[in-house]
């Protein structure tokens, strides 16, 4: 299936670019219907423009409440025909009401090996903690912060000579490979999020489905 993708961004957009490159090179079966930024004048918007992909700013500061902000985002995404959402450095937490519009169809990349170091500045948190292995996680999004079911992870070593910036860069390189790959698994129907009443949702592999 071709993913009709919306990509939510807040900053530099290097993960957006990795997704767009994967699409144009045929490694990811998706169409980027819309890039939506909650911040004006970010590099991600320029990257979208140079790739010829539609983009829009919905600035959270212009709305009185999260509900209104999310309603405005939802209107833009729905009128663009977006069915799946990739959060690529999007720095706002999404409410259950918003997520319900894309059930099991919102995917995030986070720069740590979750469940370690959720939240902002995860790479610095890991570096300051003194971990010897760091990495990134692609996961389905639920109502918590970086808490949804994990699809894939990539680990990187922390070298004695690393600065926090070195580590951030090494993790980011892995994000650029892992995020498009995980989205492609979804496009191929190989993984999906399965909600479980009263329990944590899980990621199911297609092959496991076939065995049931
Ligand atoms: C990435 O490290 C992402 O995991 C985190 O913010 C960073 C965004 O980078 N949430 P970019 O905007 O994709 O370049």
């Amino acid at each position: 299936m071709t993913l009709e993708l919306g990509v939510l961004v807040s900053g530099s957009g290097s993960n957006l670019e990795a997704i767009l490159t994967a699409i144009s090179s045929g490694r990811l079966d998706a169409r980027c219907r819309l890039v939506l930024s909650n911040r004006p004048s970010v590099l991600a918007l320029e990257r979208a423009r140079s790739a010829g992909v539609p983009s829009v700013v919905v600035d959270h500061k212009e709305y009185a409440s999260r509900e209104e902000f999310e309603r405005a985002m939802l209107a833009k995404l729905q009128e663009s025909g977006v069915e799946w959402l990739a959060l690529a450095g999007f720095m706002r937490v999404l409410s259950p009401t918003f997520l319900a519009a894309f059930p099991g169809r919102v995917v995030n990349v986070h720069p740590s090996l979750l469940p370690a170091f959720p939240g902002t500045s995860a790479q610095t948190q890991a570096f300051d903690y003194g971990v010897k292995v760091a990495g990134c996680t692609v996961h389905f999004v639920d109502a918590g912060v970086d808490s949804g079911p994990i699809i894939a992870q990539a680990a990187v070593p922390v070298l004695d000579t690393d600065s926090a910036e070195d580590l951030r860069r090494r993790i980011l390189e892995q994000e650029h490979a892992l995020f498009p790959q995980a989205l492609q698994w979804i496009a191929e129907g190989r993984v999906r999020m399965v909600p479980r009443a009263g329990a944590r949702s899980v990621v199911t592999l297609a092959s496991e489905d076939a065995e049931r």
Side-chain angles (χ1 to χ4, degrees):
M1 118 185 101
T2 302
L3 301 181
E4 305 297 347
L5 202 60
V7 184
L8 303 194
V9 295
S10 299
S12 129
S14 67
N15 277 292
L16 163 68
E17 184 148 337
I19 290 170
L20 295 178
T21 305
I23 294 173
S24 61
S25 66
R27 281 180 290 119
L28 171 56
D29 185 7
R31 245 186 309 265
C32 185
R33 293 274 189 169
L34 187 67
V35 172
L36 187 154
S37 174
N38 68 307
R39 293 177 59 211
S41 318
V42 290
L43 183 55
L45 290 164
E46 264 173 52
R47 295 192 206 249
R49 267 176 234 124
S50 351
V53 168
S55 61
V56 68
V57 175
V58 180
D59 186 346
H60 62 280
K61 291 187 185 146
E62 289 177 5
Y63 297 87
S65 65
R66 179 162 83 165
E67 288 68 33
E68 284 174 40
F69 165 59
E70 289 187 342
R71 257 201 302 277
M73 283 201 296
L74 198 54
K76 296 287 181 199
L77 294 165
Q78 285 176 336
E79 78 198 23
S80 302
V82 168
E83 291 175 1
W84 287 81
L85 280 185
L87 310 188
F90 183 66
M91 301 305 284
R92 312 296 298 175
V93 175
L94 296 167
S95 73
T97 311
F98 178 90
L99 291 173
F102 302 95
R105 291 172 172 226
V106 184
V107 185
N108 183 42
V109 64
H110 181 77
S112 79
L113 293 174
L114 291 170
F117 311 119
T120 53
S121 308
Q123 309 94 323
T124 314
Q125 289 185 56
F127 184 82
D128 290 347
Y129 195 93
V131 299
K132 301 300 180 197
V133 177
C136 58
T137 302
V138 177
H139 64 94
F140 285 111
V141 174
D142 65 9
V145 175
D146 303 320
S147 60
I150 291 171
I151 302 169
Q153 294 184 303
V156 301
V158 184
L159 308 180
D160 289 345
T161 51
D162 274 347
S163 65
E165 178 55 22
D166 293 332
L167 182 60
R168 190 193 67 79
R169 251 196 309 258
R170 190 173 308 119
I171 293 171
L172 193 59
E173 260 173 40
Q174 292 302 312
E175 293 181 47
H176 295 163
L178 195 68
F179 203 6
Q181 175 66 79
L183 291 168
Q184 176 59 15
W185 287 341
I186 293 169
E188 289 170 4
R190 291 172 67 184
V191 295
R192 66 191 172 88
M193 176 166 154
V194 181
R196 292 187 300 182
R200 207 178 137 68
S201 301
V202 289
V203 169
T204 300
L205 306 179
S207 54
E208 287 178 7
D209 270 356
E211 282 163 19
R212 280 199 193 121

